[in-house]
Amino acid sequence: MSDLTTQQRPTRQRSALLAALANCHDFMSAQELYARMTADGTRIGLTTVYRGLRDLEAADAVDVIQANAGERLYRWRPGGHRHYLICRACGSSRPVDSEVVEEWAGRIASDSGFAAVEHTVELTGVCADCQSATE
């Protein structure tokens, strides 16, 4: 986390945003993150949260997915690019082994002659807890 704060001008708000993200275990929207931070007493503007998340995304420090309604959800990336299996009912998420996906993306890039290829893979389902709740 400290490498990221040295890449940008360190501010109290940026440090608070990093800390809030590091303490979240599931994906959160900018509004949810803002609400959590302000409820904890952090003085920060919603625009600052959006700007900070944009900067973190550009620095490849967060994973980003699209919610069903098209809203972007963010999760701190503790290390390296990851893919997640996300519950459509409760929103919980779990990282999945994605070596096969990474190899496939690399092969597609190489075969097509493209460089700097990026990809997004979103896997959704219904977790065991939510399945039991509906039975």
Side-chain angles (χ1 to χ4, degrees), residues 58-119:
D60 213 20
V62 292
D63 288 314
V64 183
I65 61 169
Q66 295 277 146
N68 290 340
E71 184 176 31
R72 295 170 68 79
L73 305 177
Y74 302 86
R75 181 175 178 174
W76 177 254
R77 181 183 296 157
H81 179 68
R82 295 177 127 182
H83 296 285
Y84 296 88
L85 183 56
I86 302 159
C87 180
R88 288 188 301 266
C90 70
S92 67
S93 61
R94 295 193 179 148
V96 295
D97 178 17
S98 59
E99 192 172 314
V100 172
V101 172
E102 300 304 325
E103 291 171 0
W104 171 79
R107 194 169 50 252
I108 294 295
S110 176
D111 291 351
S112 66
F114 276 65
V117 171
E118 297 177 3
H119 64 276

Side-chain angles (χ1 to χ4, degrees), residues 2-116:
S2 61
D3 288 347
L4 198 55
T5 57
T6 59
Q7 293 175 1
Q8 307 264 330
R9 185 175 64 91
T11 65
R12 178 184 52 78
Q13 290 92 351
R14 183 168 286 123
S15 296
L17 178 62
L18 290 169
L21 274 171
N23 289 323
C24 295
H25 299 290
D26 289 320
F27 285 91
M28 298 188 84
S29 70
Q31 284 96 359
E32 290 169 326
L33 193 56
Y34 169 75
R36 177 179 279 196
M37 292 175 72
T38 56
D40 289 343
T42 303
R43 295 185 60 184
I44 192 167
L46 182 56
T47 302
T48 303
V49 171
Y50 274 108
R51 188 179 311 117
L53 290 171
R54 183 197 65 221
D55 293 345
L56 290 169
E57 183 178 358
D60 213 20
V62 292
D63 288 314
V64 183
I65 61 169
Q66 295 277 146
N68 290 340
E71 184 176 31
R72 295 170 68 79
L73 305 177
Y74 302 86
R75 181 175 178 174
W76 177 254
R77 181 183 296 157
H81 179 68
R82 295 177 127 182
H83 296 285
Y84 296 88
L85 183 56
I86 302 159
C87 180
R88 288 188 301 266
C90 70
S92 67
S93 61
R94 295 193 179 148
V96 295
D97 178 17
S98 59
E99 192 172 314
V100 172
V101 172
E102 300 304 325
E103 291 171 0
W104 171 79
R107 194 169 50 252
I108 294 295
S110 176
D111 291 351
S112 66
F114 276 65

